[in-house]
Amino acid sequence: MSWSGGAFGKRGHCVLAPNANLMTLDGTNTWVLREPGASRSIVIDPGPPDEAHLAAVAERAGRVGVVLLTHHHLDHSEAARDFAELMGCGVRALDPGYRLGSEGLGNGDVVEVDGLELHVVGTPGHTADSLSFVLPAEGAVLTGDTVLGRGTTVVAHPDGQLGAYLDSLDRLRALAESREISTIWPGHGPVIDDALVALDHYISHRAQRLAQVESAVAALREQPHPEGLGADELPRRVVEMVYADVDPVLWGAAELSVRAQLAHLAERG
């Protein structure tokens, strides 16, 4: 499925950054949100420092009230400070190191610009500082990398924590079940029209992968290893078993997720 961004609802527009690769899918989704008839916009995740991309975002946004970040990964945040300085506004983020100005951002906050209101939901797990933004007027949630428009996200240990991530998925699912959200506007890939179905799939997929990892560890420990199986060797051996159907180019990312799964299993006892 190809994806090129565009307008969604009455308040959202995705400007797709030209940084497509195996990890970013079609590129980073920079979201421009504006209340109909308002003079200022909110820009979420300006993305990479690509002049043509930032010019397209600026043209779409007009006056910008604030820049928000879903998390600190460079494909979302790298251009944020320069873009905000150009537009004469601040950057709000959970991590103080990525802010421009004195205002931070955290779970339960409400961001309002010219009548457009966003509710901040803490969704750690992909990273420790991951946030999602609920746009009540559209029944939408902007998830950054917590939920992608295609495929599943990487929980990269140690910054990423699987237990926190599973809790975040449950938090988002509760919003979908209560019909506070119906669609997902992700940080990569196409918009998802049925939030509840997507979140159920994510939760089920994680449970299946965790069970597969647990079985792989048990099988490896039953095999004879004359020189022993080192802690550093175990994640890659698990990847070779559990992710055998995945392109080996992605095994590095898979290993990060496996390390998070192993840490979660150890915590769980």
Side-chain angles (χ1 to χ4, degrees):
M1 173 187 282
S2 62
W3 164 250
S4 57
F8 295 89
K10 297 179 179 179
R11 297 166 179 83
H13 195 102
C14 174
V15 182
L16 182 63
N19 60 336
N21 61 45
L22 286 171
M23 297 300 294
T24 63
L25 305 181
D26 311 273
T28 299
N29 293 338
T30 296
W31 285 98
V32 178
L33 309 177
R34 183 170 59 244
E35 191 68 15
S39 61
R40 294 185 301 164
S41 301
I42 295 174
V43 173
I44 297 176
D45 292 351
D50 180 274
E51 289 186 11
H53 172 64
L54 297 178
V57 174
E59 182 178 3
R60 172 59 57 181
R63 292 176 59 208
V64 178
V66 67
V67 170
L68 307 180
L69 294 180
T70 61
H71 64 298
H72 70 270
H73 283 166
L74 290 180
D75 58 309
H76 294 259
S77 68
E78 189 173 7
R81 180 178 291 269
D82 289 345
F83 178 77
E85 288 177 341
L86 178 66
M87 304 307 289
C89 67
V91 178
R92 296 183 63 180
L94 179 59
D95 187 331
Y98 292 84
R99 299 173 189 167
L100 177 62
S102 60
E103 285 192 289
L105 206 58
N107 182 61
D109 286 348
V110 176
V111 179
E112 189 274 333
V113 171
D114 291 354
L116 187 138
E117 193 173 276
L118 285 176
H119 296 186
V120 182
V121 180
T123 49
H126 171 67
T127 62
D129 67 334
S130 288
L131 299 171
S132 295
F133 305 113
V134 173
L135 179 55
E138 298 287 353
V141 60
L142 294 97
T143 53
D145 285 359
T146 298
V147 179
L148 305 179
R150 188 171 64 248
T152 55
T153 196
V154 172
V155 178
H157 185 74
D159 185 27
Q161 297 286 332
L162 183 58
Y165 184 70
L166 295 174
D167 289 343
S168 293
L169 292 180
D170 287 341
R171 194 171 301 122
L172 291 174
R173 190 193 183 281
L175 292 174
E177 189 172 34
S178 67
R179 301 190 179 182
E180 293 180 58
I181 59 172
S182 57
T183 62
I184 295 172
W185 297 359
H188 300 281
V191 161
I192 298 171
D193 293 327
D194 194 324
L196 187 57
V197 168
L199 288 161
D200 278 342
H201 168 70
Y202 258 63
I203 292 167
S204 173
H205 172 78
R206 288 291 165 181
Q208 291 171 3
R209 281 296 195 213
L210 192 60
Q212 290 171 339
V213 168
E214 196 167 19
S215 295
V217 170
L220 285 167
R221 285 176 175 162
E222 288 177 1
Q223 295 176 7
H225 299 283
E227 298 178 1
L229 187 61
D232 288 340
E233 186 183 357
L234 179 61
R236 176 45 64 107
R237 295 292 300 275
V238 170
V239 167
E240 291 169 355
M241 295 174 68
V242 174
Y243 292 84
D245 59 340
V246 174
D247 188 332
V249 173
L250 297 173
W251 279 8
E255 185 172 333
L256 295 175
S257 282
V258 165
R259 288 180 182 274
Q261 289 163 324
L262 293 173
H264 180 66
L265 289 171
E267 291 168 5
R268 207 172 65 174

